[in-house]
Amino acid sequence: MVDAAATEPRLTGTVPLYKNVEPLNRQKHATYGVNTVSQPFNFLKEWHFVPAISAEFAFACGSYPIIFLGDKKMPVLVMGLRQGSNLFVNEEGQFDTEHYIPAYVRRYPFVSAANPNDQPSTVCVDLDADFVVSENAERPFFDANGEPTDYTQQAIDFVSAFENDARTTEAFVERMIALDLLEKKDVKVSNPQDPENPVTVAEYFGVSSEKFDALPADKLKEMQTNGDLGAVVSHIISLQRWERILRRTSSAANAAAPAQA
């Protein structure tokens, strides 16, 4: 959080979910806060995956596939097959309460921004979040003395913990890459027009079962000690959740199709 007033520069770059991010400022945002809204998860409806931290793999693996994407092979939780369609948020902006809410989602509308020269990160807020208001907030960001309210302090603490977990996750991925455990994988579905050639609907990186099974006992012991073993096992278990994603995709498509006469 920063104290300089109206000269704050806007952050650059793209952060999934976030639209209009500013450093949280006790002067500029003195009257800001959040209100209860009827569609609290509207911000998530068009995102079919969100970044994940390794600490939540054990919780998330029962709900979503946990996969690795991009050049850096960072983990994400799959919540849909197509951009613009989250299968766990309904048309009323409500989250499917039977499933785990990712930490990345629970952090919103707050986020941290790195500063140069090893300075502490800055806590920021998405001012375009549906539930962020500029006045008459049910839960204000600051009290009458300009100090963070309990709500804001809890959010700051959560952002800090998430940032630490994100660094831990980066180190976890680096160790997986060093062990050459990640390989290209895909998800295929049958093609009624060409049964012999199924259609690839998803491509990603995942842990190679063969390479994982071939790890020596001392390496497995090391992974058990540093927590990597639990994360890898949770990831492998989570890949069974592709069936849920495919089933929900099919159900959503059928519901959207025009009724037959």
Side-chain angles (χ1 to χ4, degrees):
M1 190 168 56
V2 289
D3 292 317
T7 57
E8 287 298 336
R10 289 185 182 274
L11 300 182
T12 58
T14 300
V15 183
L17 299 187
Y18 296 80
K19 294 163 287 194
N20 179 23
V21 177
E22 287 188 4
L24 188 59
N25 182 292
R26 70 180 75 238
Q27 285 93 32
K28 187 174 183 180
H29 304 128
T31 62
Y32 280 69
V34 297
N35 278 351
T36 302
V37 294
S38 61
Q39 299 184 336
F41 290 96
N42 249 0
F43 68 91
L44 187 59
K45 285 172 65 173
E46 296 186 355
W47 292 90
H48 63 303
F49 63 80
V50 296
I53 51 177
S54 56
E56 68 183 331
F57 282 15
F59 303 100
C61 69
S63 295
Y64 322 104
I66 303 168
I67 64 174
F68 300 84
L69 293 180
D71 294 338
K72 294 185 177 181
K73 300 179 174 64
M74 296 309 296
V76 303
L77 305 181
V78 179
M79 307 184 79
L81 273 186
R82 302 183 182 91
Q83 185 175 358
S85 177
N86 188 307
L87 300 171
F88 296 83
V89 179
N90 64 22
E91 289 300 318
E92 289 71 43
Q94 303 296 323
F95 199 91
D96 187 336
T97 56
E98 292 186 357
H99 294 282
Y100 172 77
I101 301 179
Y104 190 92
V105 175
R106 285 181 279 123
R107 182 183 64 168
Y108 189 79
F110 298 95
V111 65
S112 62
N115 287 315
N117 303 320
D118 295 324
Q119 294 297 309
S121 297
T122 299
V123 175
C124 304
V125 62
D126 184 358
L127 297 183
D128 282 356
D130 291 345
F131 39 83
V132 171
V133 295
S134 59
E135 56 186 10
N136 299 321
E138 295 172 9
R139 286 177 289 178
F141 293 152
F142 300 98
D143 63 22
N145 297 318
E147 295 301 320
T149 59
D150 289 344
Y151 165 77
T152 304
Q153 190 57 55
Q154 290 173 11
I156 291 171
D157 293 344
F158 191 87
V159 166
S160 178
F162 187 95
E163 184 178 21
N164 290 334
D165 285 338
R167 286 195 290 266
T168 299
T169 301
E170 290 175 2
F172 161 71
V173 172
E174 289 173 358
R175 291 191 292 271
M176 296 303 98
I177 294 173
L179 290 171
D180 193 29
L181 283 182
L182 298 178
E183 65 179 6
K184 287 185 177 181
K185 293 178 178 288
D186 58 36
V187 178
K188 290 182 168 65
V189 297
S190 60
N191 181 0
Q193 282 72 43
D194 188 359
E196 295 185 2
N197 292 291
V199 177
T200 300
V201 295
E203 295 179 315
Y204 61 97
F205 291 98
V207 169
S208 165
S209 295
E210 291 183 358
K211 292 180 179 179
F212 180 60
D213 291 342
L215 287 174
D218 61 330
K219 180 55 65 175
L220 289 172
K221 180 63 176 178
E222 178 184 330
M223 293 175 67
Q224 182 181 25
T225 301
N226 64 19
D228 289 353
L229 185 60
V232 169
V233 171
S234 295
H235 155 68
I236 293 173
I237 291 172
S238 80
L239 299 183
Q240 300 176 37
R241 305 288 86 80
W242 276 116
E243 188 274 335
R244 174 179 291 135
I245 298 297
L246 296 175
R247 186 176 67 249
R248 289 194 174 209
T249 299
S250 178
S251 296
N254 290 337
Q260 298 296 318

